[in-house]
Amino acid sequence: MQKQIDELVKEYGTSISNGLNTISVTKNRKSYGENKIKEKKKTNIFVKFLKSFKDSLILILMASAIISVILDPNEYVDSIIILVVVFFNSILGVVQETKAERSLEALKKMSSPTSKVIRDGHTIEIPSEELVVGDIMLIEAGDHISADARIIESYSLAVDESALTGESLPVHKSEGSLQNEAISLGDQKNCVFSSTYITSGKAKVLVTQVGMNTEMGKIAGMLNEQIDATTPLQHKLSSVGKVIGIMALIICALVFILEMIAEWKNGSILSKVWVDCFKTAIALAVAAIPEGLATVVTIVLAIGVGKMSKRNAIVKRLPAVETLGSCSVICSDKTGTLTQNKMIVQKLYCDEIKSLKYLNKKEKDLLEYFAICCDATLEKNGAIGDPTEIALLEANHTYGNPLDNINKVFELPFDSDRKMMTTVIKKNGSYLAITKGAFDVIIEHSTNFLEEKNKAKRANEYLAKDALRVLALGVQRFSSKPSESMLEKKIEFLGLVGMMDPARPEVKEAIKIASTAGIRTVMVTGDHITTATAIAKELGILDEKHKAITATELDKISDEKLKDTIEEYSVFARVAPKDKVRIVEAWQKKDAIVAMTGDGVNDAPALKKADIGCAMGITGTDVSKEAADMILVDDNFSTIVSAVKQGRGIYDNIKKCVKYLLSSNIGEVFVIFFASLLSALTNISMGVPLLPIHLLWINLITDSLPAFGIGMEEVEDSIMEEQPRAKKEGFFAHHMSIQIFIEGLIIGICATAAYAIGHFLEHSHMLGQTMAFFTLSTSQLLHAYNVKSKHSLFSIESYKNHFLNFAIFIGLVLQFVVVYCPGVNTLFKFTPLSPTNLVICLGLSLLICVYSELFKNDDKR
């Protein structure tokens, strides 16, 4: 960037006129590398499947199944069921984990397939992958750049760098060297970069970086280095699993000891009974572990994904649904996310500054002249050309004069040195030269009176303060066709237009709603600080309490200081990809859960680094979409607010599901534990109240169906009035663990009582097991209504979830089938219940509802 072209030519062993020779191409490719993006090694699907077995609950279940069949090969049914459940959950997890690492493939697709270079004195076209450092490349309007390069010579060159820098306007480029070393990517006017697009002009350039050394390659390197972060939900569920696993092992060991003590007191020979005791412990392990939890959570998340897709948010990875709902900071790109990604003329100055709605003839003529002095065109299928010129054409089309019978004679194209463009037209036998360009240049060449110039300067300053891009226009009149040397000298200044990429109209309200929900919105953009600040103030992102900062200023701040001061800034301007990652990391160090939105290639590393990345579906590049966790189909910032609401609702539903499933499992644990404890402390032989097959049926059928129903609860609007959850908040916060324990204890006591009635009063172990099973399963089904909402069971609100109503009905029907259907009850070792025993079971099952109803008002669910 700072070196002279002659120095680079000598360094790379090339020639400006002849390019590289064959030997130099081979040498430079070996020295500087190939023009390829290295891919991150992907995980084999079989390896993904094996990794799914690392879960502690899965390992305990598999160990239980294997030990059970070793101890008693005849009791293989339970073991097979356990293993089928384990494999089903693992397969489902691999299938649902659809986030593929295709970011680098997308990067490769963005490259131009061929490039025009000079080699051995001949102009040839080669595949872009064959470009090497030192190649002399020829580029023109419409080309996608395939490598980073220095400009040797250029003609009216303008480059769209929005995908790389985030700046919405094309950047005018020119040759020469830059003196400042600490200059941002968007200000490197003498360079062109890989994956950018030429909007106008042409140039001869010298390739300086290829492959992984290009700015695009550095982004690819960032994507390779980053490790896929687990979401808060994954962390919390993993913690739940570990806690359950440890508890299961401890209780299993305790029950095994109690069973051995009971058998010893009864005078049994220990060597003969330890196998039975171990079976009881295994039954307890099955009871303690909620086998359906992983499946239920996965399906609840999938249901949430379906709902969000209908609201224009496509989620690529299921656990990410919840993360956006728990986010406390949204780092948003400006161009195309907060703004419309389209230049629009906002103000016009002729004799006064005004909007475009009510123009007089003089002002309409001014708009017409601006439109004539353009190279862009408006087509039926869309506009073609520079966004600034398209904005002028559209403004004139709507508010100005029709461009009929315009006779263009010739033009002087825009030049970055002159900062002007002139179009000469023939009108009514005379010639009119229309010049548009930068205000300071036009006014310097104008012949207007001093008072008019001063008034125009004040208007220009006023428009510039509003962060509008200002263009000036003047004319020259000739009786005969003028020569080029006569143009752009004595100009009659006519007026100004101010344009900008305006904010999306719905974004301001969305940011306000996010603020009410305790979510901080921060603008992170590659655009100039003046423009970014104006948009941020208009949208309510930037206020007197917070500041705006540029990338140059940001570079001077250490990571430690940035962590301490990150909350002071609401706008980050002229940022590079590495800056966006730093900003996300600084917020994360403050324990914030960060969502990052963006649409450009430059956003990809930050999208991947953030707790959840949200890419734009319409304007977003393939790279940003592949790096993100979520894609906003309509590019609408307000869609994020809807996604936050859904995410919060999904998390709330998952907590309810976990509470329901764990309280049910603890109830099962207590049934077996109470029996073992009573056997050990007394001379009463309680036996085993429930077999592993009974517990598996309850966990997979009785519990899972209502859990799905709970997961389908509609999100309440009031959820957006709550503050975001703290990042370190435990999954069982707000006394949830105590509630689970008490509810499980009540369910366990009721089922134990039912078992005791059948086992002792009716003198039938099979009847006792049947009554324990029916009471346990029925109480758990009814408990679903307690968990689903804060509403009383006597309120109609408790029964609006039709899926839950259906699930509980089906669950009750299935309980009657396994108890009363011949053949089925034999498999489960059940006996049909008499009407009296059935009433007893139903009465005991209702006690959990009585408890919940009494304490519901005090229970912060």
Side-chain angles (χ1 to χ4, degrees), residues 153-327:
E153 57 186 55
S154 63
Y155 179 76
S156 302
L157 185 67
V159 183
D160 181 353
E161 296 182 341
S162 60
L164 189 62
T165 67
E167 186 168 351
S168 54
L169 293 172
V171 180
H172 292 280
K173 301 282 189 174
S174 59
E175 57 270 22
S177 58
L178 301 175
Q179 302 304 317
N180 188 358
E181 293 185 9
I183 192 168
S184 65
L185 199 65
D187 292 323
Q188 295 180 24
K189 307 292 186 182
N190 63 348
C191 299
V192 292
F193 302 101
S194 176
S195 295
T196 58
Y197 174 75
I198 308 299
T199 59
S200 63
K202 58 184 179 180
K204 178 188 284 188
V205 299
L206 170 63
V207 175
T208 55
Q209 301 288 356
V210 295
M212 296 300 291
N213 294 321
T214 63
E215 294 299 326
M216 185 63 57
K218 292 173 184 176
I219 293 174
M222 291 181 195
L223 293 176
N224 274 341
E225 290 168 7
Q226 291 177 15
I227 301 170
D228 288 334
T230 54
T231 69
L233 179 62
Q234 288 173 312
H235 278 300
K236 289 166 184 172
L237 289 179
S238 177
S239 299
V240 171
K242 289 177 182 177
V243 170
I244 294 172
I246 293 169
M247 287 176 59
L249 292 175
I250 293 172
I251 295 173
C252 285
L254 182 59
V255 166
F256 178 76
I257 294 170
L258 291 174
E259 286 289 312
M260 293 289 282
I261 292 171
E263 294 295 339
W264 174 73
K265 287 177 66 178
N266 291 332
S268 301
I269 301 173
L270 292 179
S271 60
K272 294 182 179 180
V273 301
W274 75 270
V275 172
D276 292 330
C277 296
F278 207 91
K279 284 183 181 181
T280 304
I282 289 174
L284 188 64
V286 175
I289 296 172
E291 290 83 359
L293 179 60
T295 305
V296 169
V297 170
T298 300
I299 293 177
V300 168
L301 286 170
I303 291 168
V305 168
K307 289 181 178 179
M308 293 179 78
S309 66
K310 294 177 182 177
R311 293 173 171 84
N312 297 316
I314 296 175
V315 176
K316 297 168 57 186
R317 194 161 59 100
L318 293 184
V321 178
E322 175 271 337
T323 313
L324 188 59
S326 64
C327 83

Side-chain angles (χ1 to χ4, degrees), residues 334 523 531-543 570-571:
K334 177 185 77 70
M523 181 189 291
T531 307
T533 300
I535 293 290
K537 286 181 178 178
E538 179 187 347
L539 293 174
I541 294 174
L542 185 64
D543 54 29
S570 286
V571 175

Side-chain angles (χ1 to χ4, degrees), residues 394-415:
E394 289 180 340
N396 180 70
H397 178 75
T398 306
Y399 302 104
N401 302 321
L403 297 181
D404 297 329
N405 302 317
I406 303 299
N407 183 10
K408 288 190 178 183
V409 180
F410 69 93
E411 70 176 29
L412 297 180
F414 178 86
D415 182 86

